Amino acid sequence: MADKIPPEIFLEIRRVASAEWPDSPEMQQYMVDAEATAYRKLAKLDFGGALEQKAAILKEAHEYYQSWQDIVSFVSEEVDAFNTLAAFAPEDVPVGFVTEQKRKARVEHDWFASQLEDVQQAVEAYRYVQRTRAKVGPIRDLLVRMESIIGSECYNANIQNYSAWGVWEGEGRAFRYPVTYIRNGQEEKRKARTDDLEPEALITCHYKFGANELSIHRALVRIIDMLRNDYDLKIPGDEDRA
């Protein structure tokens, strides 16, 4: 059992197992076997391109974890993340963008797994923006006009109308329902202007109904897609989509 494992490490494994399971020799043996297997796995682990990071990765592992099973799991994940991150260069994303995201991730996180997650999320966000711009950009004017028509058809019969002289002029009033956009993670309420909104912000247009929301522009995109697919609707610029 203790072959290729330093005696002091094997003795510590047995000590911890005895402390964890003082009344169960079977569980002690199970824990010793599992920890010994984990140690051997760590000793044989191929760091590949992460070899220069070996000391730093092992240091982090021992600072945060006690068992060899946890340590080898963490180290394996970090080695895989480092090597994946080093080779990460998707063809559909500009090299400069990916390089900058890697730099930001290094500043933000010490662990390579966290760096990789940040970079992958940034790339997915970039792809989402590109897809949204390709889909929404050509029909943005149509979306804005359609939403304006819908939003202007609101009516409240309970509104009491009075003239400037305080004379009651009747009940009920039509009004333009307010719209909300999300830009740079912040909500913006607007009445009319949309020309400064990128498609990825434009598509977030929604109506608020108390705790509920209606994503009006997303709904209109689905309607346009339905009309295109089911009724052969042609919109100027569709030729470029073919």
Side-chain angles (χ1 to χ4, degrees):
M1 174 67 70
D3 289 350
K4 299 183 180 179
I5 299 179
E8 66 276 12
I9 291 178
F10 186 72
L11 289 174
E12 178 62 13
I13 289 175
R14 291 186 64 90
R15 186 195 68 76
V16 173
S18 297
E20 288 284 330
W21 302 97
D23 300 322
S24 177
E26 294 83 3
M27 288 303 300
Q28 289 181 29
Q29 190 59 53
Y30 176 84
M31 185 173 178
V32 168
D33 291 342
E35 286 290 271
T37 298
Y39 182 89
R40 293 191 184 98
K41 181 179 179 181
L42 180 62
K44 295 177 181 178
L45 185 64
D46 181 10
F47 278 72
L51 187 59
E52 292 185 359
Q53 306 295 326
K54 181 176 180 178
I57 293 174
L58 289 173
K59 182 176 182 293
E60 286 284 314
H62 285 288
E63 286 181 357
Y64 285 90
Y65 301 101
Q66 301 297 322
S67 77
W68 290 105
Q69 295 172 77
D70 290 337
I71 289 171
V72 73
S73 177
F74 172 83
V75 172
S76 298
E77 183 179 20
E78 283 294 274
V79 169
D80 289 344
F82 178 90
N83 290 322
T84 300
L85 195 58
F88 191 67
E91 295 181 356
D92 61 324
V93 181
V95 173
F97 177 85
V98 176
T99 300
E100 176 61 12
Q101 298 311 310
K102 289 181 180 180
R103 185 196 66 77
K104 289 181 178 179
R106 286 195 300 271
V107 172
E108 190 71 21
H109 304 288
D110 292 328
W111 293 3
F112 297 114
S114 297
Q115 293 179 28
L116 177 61
E117 183 178 5
D118 274 13
V119 173
Q120 289 175 330
Q121 288 179 349
V123 166
E124 285 307 307
Y126 173 88
R127 288 170 172 158
Y128 168 78
V129 168
Q130 301 311 306
R131 290 194 302 268
T132 302
R133 290 181 177 181
K135 186 174 185 65
V136 175
I139 59 172
R140 64 174 299 145
D141 290 342
L142 178 59
L143 290 176
V144 171
R145 292 179 65 188
M146 292 172 70
E147 184 283 317
S148 179
I149 293 172
I150 294 172
S152 297
E153 287 297 317
C154 292
Y155 182 83
N156 189 331
N158 295 320
I159 295 177
Q160 304 296 310
N161 298 302
Y162 293 88
S163 70
W165 300 101
V167 178
W168 184 68
E169 295 182 340
E171 297 179 342
R173 182 188 301 169
F175 64 97
R176 204 274 190 239
Y177 202 87
V179 293
T180 303
Y181 298 88
I182 299 175
R183 183 166 65 162
N184 298 324
Q186 301 295 320
E187 288 191 349
E188 293 186 7
K189 291 185 177 181
R190 298 193 172 205
K191 294 183 178 180
R193 186 186 176 197
T194 62
D195 60 309
D196 62 325
L197 295 175
E198 294 289 355
E200 59 270 23
L202 185 75
I203 195 64
T204 66
C205 176
H206 59 279
Y207 301 147
K208 287 182 174 293
F209 304 104
N212 301 312
E213 298 178 359
L214 171 61
S215 297
I216 182 63
H217 274 186
R218 294 186 189 278
L220 290 173
V221 169
R222 294 181 63 183
I223 291 173
I224 292 171
D225 285 343
M226 179 269 292
L227 293 173
R228 279 170 167 159
N229 296 330
D230 297 349
Y231 297 92
D232 199 28
L233 173 70
K234 299 298 181 184
I235 297 175
D238 276 355
E239 299 79 8
D240 299 332
R241 300 172 67 246

